[in-house]
Amino acid sequence: MTVTATSVDESDRLHPPSARAPWAARLVRLVPAAVAALSGLLLYVSFPPRTLWWLALPAFAGFGWVLRGRRWKAALGLGYLFGLGFLLPLLVWTGVEVGPGPWLALVAAEALFVALVGVGVAAVSKLPAWPVWAAALWIAGEAARARVPFHGFPWGKIAFGQADGVFLPLAAVGGTPVLGFAVVLCGFGLHEAVRLVVEGRRTRTVRRPAAAVALLSVVLPVVGALAARTLVSDKAENGTVTVAVIQGNVPRSGLEFNAQRRAVLDYHARETERLAADVKAGRAPRPDVVLWPENSSDIDPFAYLDARMVIDQAAQAIGAPISVGSVVERDGELLNEQILWDPVKGPLQTYDKRQIQPFGEYLPLRSLLGAINENWTSMVRQDFSRGTKPGVFSVAGTRIGLATCYEAAFDWAVRDTVTHGAQMISVPSNNATFDRSEMTYQQLAMSRVRAVEHSRTVTVPVTSGVSAVIMPDGRITQRTGMFVPGHLVQKVPLRSSRTPATELGVLPEIALVLIAAGGLGWAIGAGVRGRRARAA
């Protein structure tokens, strides 16, 4: 075998440096874009059903690295890539039954908020104590996403990925804004600390003020979370109540989960009667109240006598009031309603869902969308109406707050049940339309954060999984599987004290938005002064 050696001159002739250099330069230029997208993907991996909450820290460290000192156009693009890396896999469940179009449109819109935050982070990245300004800017972006467009979409708040994390007690201090701020601050602080170490090795000097800020950005959130553990308790303050959570399952998953008339209602009534048999046999304690999911009655019990009879029989069998979820029509309005059904007196109290889901329960821009594609408008033939009053059911002296499904993502919708006297919270949901996606686990994590935020027991009755009982300290004590019938019975603590988060409400979020505005104003002012100085 003959081996032919290529000379250096021949190699340069075949691959001259002038030809190699542009490709190398292009690859180098792609590194920040790749890091931005991968950092977003890392942030997604930190969310449930995985318990890798700590991955949020290197995710934001990477985000800080790619944005530092960037011009606004580059920061906009890198921020958008980070948003896509995070939100594309996080929200894939939104297209399970309706195809990729709505999923991609939602992600494209939501990632714009992240892109704008990226511009702000790049602008403040050269300021003293920049991790503080940058973390506040992220929370300002979340505040905007939770309100616009179409009343907001807060899914993907950083706080909702921290149900298993060390930072969780901070939810009791200032709700999801403070919890999220601590995580993002720690991540940006981690990047700053690494950057200063590398810089110090190169220059043999230490910038002590910057090093102190980096260290505090990492340490203070952890210390604050450990100190906040004193606010977290599962002790009963107002006695206890025995609750039963019913998961009846559905005939089929997807948008047609209730296509078979009365099947969903029959499934939940049947599971309640199984529980009644267990109670009679001494295998389970008798509940004081039974909680059914959203849409657990697939036909209106006020309009159809057979539905009313089925619910009556179930309530009488178990001998306790049942909170029934149904779609009802009243005075020409369609309402997603929870009904407290007494075994003797029938329906006593109702709660109408207030934060209804755009494109699911009502169709924004209906005429425009209908002109583009008539199939879109046929999926939501009639818009739901919004409820106007907080949901708090009174059952034998126990006050149960209600936040129906999508409402669990909104700070105000959960908080005002507590400010109106709720001693525990129930989040009845219907996940049947999302099949076996991660949606149910993401929503369960939200409920765990809400439990700590307001120091309340939270029950999650779901049609098809995962139903759960959550203690005021965020622990899940019982849960079901997905797409299986089951019931959970437990004595849970009732509490009436309020956490700082409950008392402060939206004030911590407002404070962080003002901090973000201050940092951004400082950065813009410094940029203007720098340009004037260079011009002079």
mmCIF file of all heavy atoms in Angstrom, residues 302 321-324 330 337-342 346-352 391-396 398-400 402:
data_model
loop_
_atom_site.group_PDB
_atom_site.id
_atom_site.type_symbol
_atom_site.label_atom_id
_atom_site.label_comp_id
_atom_site.label_asym_id
_atom_site.label_seq_id
_atom_site.Cartn_x
_atom_site.Cartn_y
_atom_site.Cartn_z
ATOM 1 N N PHE A 302 -79.296 21.396 35.144
ATOM 2 C CA PHE A 302 -80.459 22.279 35.309
ATOM 3 C C PHE A 302 -81.438 22.131 34.139
ATOM 4 O O PHE A 302 -82.614 22.448 34.270
ATOM 5 C CB PHE A 302 -80.016 23.739 35.425
ATOM 6 C CG PHE A 302 -79.196 24.032 36.653
ATOM 7 C CD1 PHE A 302 -77.854 24.352 36.541
ATOM 8 C CD2 PHE A 302 -79.764 23.969 37.912
ATOM 9 C CE1 PHE A 302 -77.097 24.627 37.662
ATOM 10 C CE2 PHE A 302 -79.010 24.238 39.050
ATOM 11 C CZ PHE A 302 -77.669 24.563 38.925
ATOM 12 N N PRO A 321 -72.309 16.700 50.466
ATOM 13 C CA PRO A 321 -72.426 17.592 49.303
ATOM 14 C C PRO A 321 -71.344 17.284 48.277
ATOM 15 O O PRO A 321 -70.218 16.905 48.621
ATOM 16 C CB PRO A 321 -72.235 18.991 49.900
ATOM 17 C CG PRO A 321 -72.449 18.838 51.363
ATOM 18 C CD PRO A 321 -72.032 17.456 51.716
ATOM 19 N N ILE A 322 -71.675 17.473 47.008
ATOM 20 C CA ILE A 322 -70.726 17.270 45.912
ATOM 21 C C ILE A 322 -70.576 18.578 45.146
ATOM 22 O O ILE A 322 -71.563 19.220 44.793
ATOM 23 C CB ILE A 322 -71.208 16.173 44.948
ATOM 24 C CG1 ILE A 322 -71.424 14.840 45.686
ATOM 25 C CG2 ILE A 322 -70.211 15.978 43.806
ATOM 26 C CD1 ILE A 322 -72.000 13.746 44.789
ATOM 27 N N SER A 323 -69.322 18.954 44.885
ATOM 28 C CA SER A 323 -69.055 20.078 43.986
ATOM 29 C C SER A 323 -68.944 19.519 42.578
ATOM 30 O O SER A 323 -68.009 18.777 42.261
ATOM 31 C CB SER A 323 -67.764 20.796 44.381
ATOM 32 O OG SER A 323 -67.500 21.857 43.488
ATOM 33 N N VAL A 324 -69.909 19.849 41.743
ATOM 34 C CA VAL A 324 -70.036 19.273 40.401
ATOM 35 C C VAL A 324 -69.635 20.322 39.366
ATOM 36 O O VAL A 324 -70.098 21.461 39.418
ATOM 37 C CB VAL A 324 -71.487 18.816 40.138
ATOM 38 C CG1 VAL A 324 -71.625 18.238 38.735
ATOM 39 C CG2 VAL A 324 -71.936 17.816 41.186
ATOM 40 N N ARG A 330 -77.631 29.787 30.983
ATOM 41 C CA ARG A 330 -78.551 30.535 31.820
ATOM 42 C C ARG A 330 -78.740 31.925 31.225
ATOM 43 O O ARG A 330 -77.774 32.648 30.995
ATOM 44 C CB ARG A 330 -78.004 30.624 33.251
ATOM 45 C CG ARG A 330 -78.960 31.270 34.239
ATOM 46 C CD ARG A 330 -78.381 31.294 35.663
ATOM 47 N NE ARG A 330 -78.183 29.936 36.172
ATOM 48 C CZ ARG A 330 -76.990 29.426 36.481
ATOM 49 N NH1 ARG A 330 -75.906 30.141 36.316
ATOM 50 N NH2 ARG A 330 -76.910 28.189 36.948
ATOM 51 N N GLU A 337 -69.352 26.173 35.029
ATOM 52 C CA GLU A 337 -69.869 26.381 36.384
ATOM 53 C C GLU A 337 -69.535 25.212 37.307
ATOM 54 O O GLU A 337 -69.568 24.042 36.918
ATOM 55 C CB GLU A 337 -71.388 26.558 36.321
ATOM 56 C CG GLU A 337 -72.024 27.032 37.607
ATOM 57 C CD GLU A 337 -73.427 27.562 37.356
ATOM 58 O OE1 GLU A 337 -74.362 26.747 37.350
ATOM 59 O OE2 GLU A 337 -73.590 28.775 37.153
ATOM 60 N N GLN A 338 -69.211 25.559 38.554
ATOM 61 C CA GLN A 338 -69.152 24.587 39.645
ATOM 62 C C GLN A 338 -70.434 24.741 40.470
ATOM 63 O O GLN A 338 -70.836 25.867 40.790
ATOM 64 C CB GLN A 338 -67.929 24.837 40.524
ATOM 65 C CG GLN A 338 -66.618 24.411 39.894
ATOM 66 C CD GLN A 338 -66.475 22.910 39.810
ATOM 67 O OE1 GLN A 338 -66.713 22.189 40.762
ATOM 68 N NE2 GLN A 338 -66.078 22.424 38.635
ATOM 69 N N ILE A 339 -71.055 23.607 40.794
ATOM 70 C CA ILE A 339 -72.338 23.605 41.507
ATOM 71 C C ILE A 339 -72.189 22.790 42.781
ATOM 72 O O ILE A 339 -71.774 21.625 42.727
ATOM 73 C CB ILE A 339 -73.442 22.972 40.630
ATOM 74 C CG1 ILE A 339 -73.462 23.600 39.230
ATOM 75 C CG2 ILE A 339 -74.801 23.102 41.307
ATOM 76 C CD1 ILE A 339 -74.158 22.736 38.191
ATOM 77 N N LEU A 340 -72.489 23.396 43.912
ATOM 78 C CA LEU A 340 -72.482 22.646 45.171
ATOM 79 C C LEU A 340 -73.837 21.966 45.310
ATOM 80 O O LEU A 340 -74.868 22.625 45.457
ATOM 81 C CB LEU A 340 -72.214 23.580 46.352
ATOM 82 C CG LEU A 340 -72.060 22.857 47.697
ATOM 83 C CD1 LEU A 340 -70.834 21.950 47.701
ATOM 84 C CD2 LEU A 340 -71.981 23.857 48.845
ATOM 85 N N TRP A 341 -73.806 20.624 45.287
ATOM 86 C CA TRP A 341 -75.038 19.825 45.225
ATOM 87 C C TRP A 341 -75.233 19.089 46.549
ATOM 88 O O TRP A 341 -74.471 18.194 46.884
ATOM 89 C CB TRP A 341 -74.951 18.838 44.067
ATOM 90 C CG TRP A 341 -76.280 18.425 43.542
ATOM 91 C CD1 TRP A 341 -77.162 17.566 44.124
ATOM 92 C CD2 TRP A 341 -76.884 18.845 42.326
ATOM 93 N NE1 TRP A 341 -78.287 17.428 43.360
ATOM 94 C CE2 TRP A 341 -78.140 18.201 42.229
ATOM 95 C CE3 TRP A 341 -76.492 19.695 41.296
ATOM 96 C CZ2 TRP A 341 -78.993 18.383 41.145
ATOM 97 C CZ3 TRP A 341 -77.338 19.882 40.227
ATOM 98 C CH2 TRP A 341 -78.576 19.243 40.153
ATOM 99 N N ASP A 342 -76.262 19.493 47.285
ATOM 100 C CA ASP A 342 -76.561 18.880 48.587
ATOM 101 C C ASP A 342 -77.369 17.600 48.392
ATOM 102 O O ASP A 342 -78.245 17.546 47.513
ATOM 103 C CB ASP A 342 -77.348 19.875 49.449
ATOM 104 C CG ASP A 342 -77.575 19.375 50.857
ATOM 105 O OD1 ASP A 342 -76.663 19.515 51.689
ATOM 106 O OD2 ASP A 342 -78.676 18.833 51.117
ATOM 107 N N GLY A 346 -80.398 19.552 47.005
ATOM 108 C CA GLY A 346 -80.016 19.740 45.609
ATOM 109 C C GLY A 346 -79.017 20.876 45.456
ATOM 110 O O GLY A 346 -78.228 21.161 46.357
ATOM 111 N N PRO A 347 -79.030 21.576 44.319
ATOM 112 C CA PRO A 347 -78.042 22.635 44.070
ATOM 113 C C PRO A 347 -78.263 23.835 44.985
ATOM 114 O O PRO A 347 -79.371 24.373 45.058
ATOM 115 C CB PRO A 347 -78.272 23.005 42.604
ATOM 116 C CG PRO A 347 -79.672 22.556 42.303
ATOM 117 C CD PRO A 347 -79.928 21.372 43.166
ATOM 118 N N LEU A 348 -77.189 24.228 45.690
ATOM 119 C CA LEU A 348 -77.297 25.330 46.649
ATOM 120 C C LEU A 348 -76.474 26.555 46.255
ATOM 121 O O LEU A 348 -76.927 27.685 46.408
ATOM 122 C CB LEU A 348 -76.836 24.859 48.035
ATOM 123 C CG LEU A 348 -77.663 23.762 48.721
ATOM 124 C CD1 LEU A 348 -77.019 23.397 50.056
ATOM 125 C CD2 LEU A 348 -79.097 24.228 48.928
ATOM 126 N N GLN A 349 -75.236 26.333 45.800
ATOM 127 C CA GLN A 349 -74.335 27.436 45.477
ATOM 128 C C GLN A 349 -73.678 27.156 44.128
ATOM 129 O O GLN A 349 -73.526 26.006 43.727
ATOM 130 C CB GLN A 349 -73.238 27.578 46.551
ATOM 131 C CG GLN A 349 -73.773 27.767 47.970
ATOM 132 C CD GLN A 349 -72.676 27.622 49.020
ATOM 133 O OE1 GLN A 349 -71.614 28.236 48.898
ATOM 134 N NE2 GLN A 349 -72.918 26.809 50.032
ATOM 135 N N THR A 350 -73.289 28.216 43.435
ATOM 136 C CA THR A 350 -72.618 28.065 42.147
ATOM 137 C C THR A 350 -71.429 29.015 42.058
ATOM 138 O O THR A 350 -71.388 30.054 42.724
ATOM 139 C CB THR A 350 -73.566 28.347 40.962
ATOM 140 O OG1 THR A 350 -74.040 29.705 41.053
ATOM 141 C CG2 THR A 350 -74.738 27.389 40.946
ATOM 142 N N TYR A 351 -70.476 28.623 41.242
ATOM 143 C CA TYR A 351 -69.346 29.504 40.909
ATOM 144 C C TYR A 351 -69.107 29.423 39.414
ATOM 145 O O TYR A 351 -68.948 28.331 38.857
ATOM 146 C CB TYR A 351 -68.071 29.092 41.648
ATOM 147 C CG TYR A 351 -66.838 29.766 41.070
ATOM 148 C CD1 TYR A 351 -66.704 31.153 41.125
ATOM 149 C CD2 TYR A 351 -65.847 29.030 40.423
ATOM 150 C CE1 TYR A 351 -65.607 31.781 40.563
ATOM 151 C CE2 TYR A 351 -64.740 29.646 39.871
ATOM 152 C CZ TYR A 351 -64.625 31.028 39.941
ATOM 153 O OH TYR A 351 -63.539 31.657 39.380
ATOM 154 N N ASP A 352 -69.079 30.572 38.760
ATOM 155 C CA ASP A 352 -68.840 30.643 37.325
ATOM 156 C C ASP A 352 -67.399 31.068 37.059
ATOM 157 O O ASP A 352 -66.931 32.083 37.581
ATOM 158 C CB ASP A 352 -69.798 31.653 36.670
ATOM 159 C CG ASP A 352 -71.251 31.268 36.862
ATOM 160 O OD1 ASP A 352 -71.544 30.056 36.817
ATOM 161 O OD2 ASP A 352 -72.091 32.172 37.080
ATOM 162 N N GLY A 391 -65.122 32.479 43.779
ATOM 163 C CA GLY A 391 -65.792 31.241 44.141
ATOM 164 C C GLY A 391 -65.372 30.747 45.509
ATOM 165 O O GLY A 391 -64.227 30.318 45.688
ATOM 166 N N VAL A 392 -66.258 30.806 46.475
ATOM 167 C CA VAL A 392 -66.013 30.259 47.811
ATOM 168 C C VAL A 392 -67.279 29.547 48.254
ATOM 169 O O VAL A 392 -68.302 30.188 48.508
ATOM 170 C CB VAL A 392 -65.625 31.358 48.834
ATOM 171 C CG1 VAL A 392 -65.348 30.720 50.194
ATOM 172 C CG2 VAL A 392 -64.403 32.140 48.364
ATOM 173 N N PHE A 393 -67.226 28.210 48.315
ATOM 174 C CA PHE A 393 -68.363 27.427 48.780
ATOM 175 C C PHE A 393 -68.263 27.246 50.298
ATOM 176 O O PHE A 393 -67.187 26.993 50.830
ATOM 177 C CB PHE A 393 -68.374 26.047 48.126
ATOM 178 C CG PHE A 393 -68.842 26.039 46.698
ATOM 179 C CD1 PHE A 393 -68.678 24.901 45.907
ATOM 180 C CD2 PHE A 393 -69.453 27.143 46.122
ATOM 181 C CE1 PHE A 393 -69.114 24.874 44.594
ATOM 182 C CE2 PHE A 393 -69.891 27.137 44.818
ATOM 183 C CZ PHE A 393 -69.722 25.997 44.044
ATOM 184 N N SER A 394 -69.405 27.386 50.968
ATOM 185 C CA SER A 394 -69.482 27.152 52.409
ATOM 186 C C SER A 394 -70.156 25.804 52.641
ATOM 187 O O SER A 394 -71.315 25.608 52.261
ATOM 188 C CB SER A 394 -70.273 28.278 53.093
ATOM 189 O OG SER A 394 -70.303 28.083 54.486
ATOM 190 N N VAL A 395 -69.397 24.873 53.245
ATOM 191 C CA VAL A 395 -69.895 23.517 53.482
ATOM 192 C C VAL A 395 -69.732 23.189 54.961
ATOM 193 O O VAL A 395 -68.623 22.967 55.435
ATOM 194 C CB VAL A 395 -69.132 22.479 52.635
ATOM 195 C CG1 VAL A 395 -69.713 21.091 52.845
ATOM 196 C CG2 VAL A 395 -69.157 22.862 51.163
ATOM 197 N N ALA A 396 -70.838 23.206 55.698
ATOM 198 C CA ALA A 396 -70.827 22.854 57.122
ATOM 199 C C ALA A 396 -69.739 23.615 57.881
ATOM 200 O O ALA A 396 -68.977 23.043 58.660
ATOM 201 C CB ALA A 396 -70.640 21.348 57.297
ATOM 202 N N THR A 398 -67.062 24.996 56.669
ATOM 203 C CA THR A 398 -65.783 25.018 55.947
ATOM 204 C C THR A 398 -65.942 25.847 54.682
ATOM 205 O O THR A 398 -66.897 25.664 53.926
ATOM 206 C CB THR A 398 -65.339 23.590 55.578
ATOM 207 O OG1 THR A 398 -65.137 22.835 56.765
ATOM 208 C CG2 THR A 398 -64.055 23.618 54.768
ATOM 209 N N ARG A 399 -64.984 26.745 54.448
ATOM 210 C CA ARG A 399 -65.028 27.598 53.259
ATOM 211 C C ARG A 399 -63.965 27.131 52.261
ATOM 212 O O ARG A 399 -62.758 27.151 52.550
ATOM 213 C CB ARG A 399 -64.835 29.068 53.644
ATOM 214 C CG ARG A 399 -66.004 29.579 54.506
ATOM 215 C CD ARG A 399 -65.824 31.028 54.923
ATOM 216 N NE ARG A 399 -65.819 31.964 53.810
ATOM 217 C CZ ARG A 399 -66.905 32.390 53.167
ATOM 218 N NH1 ARG A 399 -68.112 31.949 53.537
ATOM 219 N NH2 ARG A 399 -66.810 33.257 52.179
ATOM 220 N N ILE A 400 -64.449 26.705 51.090
ATOM 221 C CA ILE A 400 -63.590 26.117 50.063
ATOM 222 C C ILE A 400 -63.495 27.075 48.881
ATOM 223 O O ILE A 400 -64.505 27.385 48.241
ATOM 224 C CB ILE A 400 -64.148 24.758 49.592
ATOM 225 C CG1 ILE A 400 -64.292 23.802 50.783
ATOM 226 C CG2 ILE A 400 -63.248 24.150 48.526
ATOM 227 C CD1 ILE A 400 -65.019 22.518 50.437
ATOM 228 N N LEU A 402 -62.438 28.186 45.053
ATOM 229 C CA LEU A 402 -62.458 27.490 43.764
ATOM 230 C C LEU A 402 -61.712 28.302 42.710
ATOM 231 O O LEU A 402 -61.981 29.493 42.520
ATOM 232 C CB LEU A 402 -63.898 27.264 43.310
ATOM 233 C CG LEU A 402 -64.749 26.354 44.212
ATOM 234 C CD1 LEU A 402 -66.215 26.550 43.906
ATOM 235 C CD2 LEU A 402 -64.350 24.899 44.031
#
